[in-house]
Amino acid sequence: MIEKLDMFITLAREQHFGHAAEACGVSQPALSASIKQLEEQLGVLLVLRGSRFQGLTPEGVRVLEWARRLVGDARTMQQELETMRHGLSGHLKVAAIPTALSYVPALTAPFVASNPGVTVSVLSRSSSEILSLLENLEVDVGITYLDNEPVGKVTQIPLYRETYCLVTGADTEQAASKRITWQDVSRLPLCLLTKDMQNRRILDGILSDASADVAPTLESDSIVTLFAHVQTGLWSTIMPESLATTFAIGTLKTIPIVDPVAGARVGLVATHREPHAPLISAVLRLARHLSKTDKPEP
């Protein structure tokens, strides 16, 4: 039953029998047969079928909620038993918004140092993708914005507050400034993240509130691409200070943006369940410790 429910979760996520079968590592006929057996066991139709996947029935939507809960609980049980036998071990999967990637080592480094039997994967994803990955049990925890847009029913622990600065070439006119206003920033040729990134939506809101609407001449979903274009001297960009100080080196300058000094809270999120799996419980404890530690913003 748990294996079939896991396949059903994958099918609901992929919305394609062939892609779901590939993700599960089985043939498409085997996946279709498992879903059919699950429907027979439960006595309801779960999937609308035609020549291809057409969605879930109302019963399928409800079963999906239970499937996520049951598969999550089964995985938690297995991890607890493994921890009882061998201590904390396994693979922790973290998804982080791109602007938080420079912070991630503050969490992962002490976690791995304290738990040498644990390995870690870090994925760069948008805030909406992180919530979807958590819901579908594809990652263990996420690092994302907490306040600007709804995060749903998740366990959340604030980690830091990001504030913003202008990143520009060292030989530009504004490079000598100690600080710069949002109004002045809006007049510069800017390259910014695309609007599917919450960071961009936050910046657009700040600029709009400051009556400093901006139309960037270049957009990308890659922070590396933005820094590369700033290096040419033709563009400037707006970045969280923690990220800018990590990557703005050599010929780049960072200038705090004021009037107002705006920011957004970033924190750790995990699926809201009790009990959490041992790996997730351990990283939540560390995040709470980091959240309470008196330290300057990263």
Side-chain angles (χ1 to χ4, degrees):
M1 173 69 79
I2 294 297
E3 184 179 358
K4 292 183 180 70
L5 290 173
D6 204 355
M7 289 184 180
F8 178 61
I9 292 171
T10 304
L11 177 61
R13 182 186 76 232
E14 298 292 334
Q15 299 185 14
H16 187 284
F17 278 95
H19 296 164
E22 185 178 356
C24 293
V26 300
S27 67
Q28 185 170 332
L31 180 123
S32 297
S34 292
I35 299 299
K36 188 67 176 175
Q37 290 167 11
L38 181 63
E39 290 177 323
E40 291 171 356
Q41 283 180 278
L42 297 175
V44 294
L45 187 67
L46 302 176
V47 180
L48 297 171
R49 296 175 178 83
S51 57
R52 57 185 178 179
F53 179 88
Q54 295 180 348
L56 302 181
T57 65
E59 294 85 354
V61 172
R62 184 61 179 147
V63 169
L64 179 61
E65 295 177 16
W66 278 102
R68 288 167 174 157
R69 196 178 310 174
L70 292 169
V71 171
D73 285 345
R75 292 181 184 177
T76 297
M77 179 187 68
Q78 291 169 342
Q79 198 178 112
E80 281 192 3
L81 294 174
E82 189 69 21
T83 300
M84 291 174 66
R85 289 194 297 266
H86 306 295
L88 192 64
S89 61
H91 190 72
L92 178 72
K93 291 170 284 187
V94 182
I97 51 174
T99 52
L101 290 175
S102 61
Y103 176 86
V104 173
L107 183 74
T108 54
F111 187 75
V112 172
S114 300
N115 303 286
V118 174
T119 58
V120 181
S121 293
V122 179
L123 306 176
S124 176
R125 295 291 186 270
S126 69
S127 55
S128 59
E129 288 173 327
I130 289 171
L131 296 179
S132 177
L133 289 169
L134 282 173
E135 185 178 52
N136 287 310
L137 309 176
E138 294 178 88
V139 297
D140 298 305
V141 296
I143 299 177
T144 187
Y145 295 107
L146 299 182
D147 301 325
N148 187 58
E149 295 175 2
V151 294
K153 189 178 180 181
V154 296
T155 299
Q156 52 181 285
I157 302 169
L159 293 172
Y160 66 94
R161 185 174 184 268
E162 72 173 23
T163 53
Y164 305 105
C165 66
L166 181 75
V167 182
T168 191
D171 56 353
T172 59
E173 181 180 342
Q174 59 273 7
S177 303
K178 299 288 187 184
R179 59 189 62 83
I180 191 169
T181 67
W182 291 95
Q183 284 280 354
D184 289 337
V185 166
S186 69
R187 301 185 186 101
L188 301 174
L190 293 175
C191 55
L192 298 175
L193 288 170
T194 51
K195 289 192 176 184
D196 59 317
M197 297 291 182
Q198 191 173 167
N199 170 265
R200 171 64 185 282
R201 298 193 292 274
I202 290 171
L203 294 181
D204 283 349
I206 296 169
L207 285 159
S208 179
D209 290 344
S211 300
D213 293 345
V214 65
T217 56
L218 187 144
E219 296 178 328
S220 175
D221 62 356
S222 165
I223 286 173
V224 172
T225 299
L226 297 184
F227 275 109
H229 280 82
V230 176
Q231 288 277 10
T232 68
L234 297 179
W235 287 273
S236 298
T237 192
I238 304 169
M239 286 287 162
E241 287 192 36
S242 57
L243 192 65
T245 54
T246 300
F247 293 103
I249 56 178
T251 59
L252 300 184
K253 287 274 293 181
T254 62
I255 306 166
I257 307 176
V258 297
D259 295 336
V261 176
R265 282 198 316 160
V266 176
L268 189 80
V269 293
T271 303
H272 187 72
R273 66 165 61 244
E274 288 295 340
H276 283 106
L279 265 180
I280 299 175
S281 294
V283 79
L284 289 175
R285 283 195 299 271
L286 175 59
R288 291 188 181 99
H289 172 73
L290 293 174
S291 180
K292 293 175 183 177
T293 301
D294 185 17
K295 63 182 185 303
E297 290 194 357

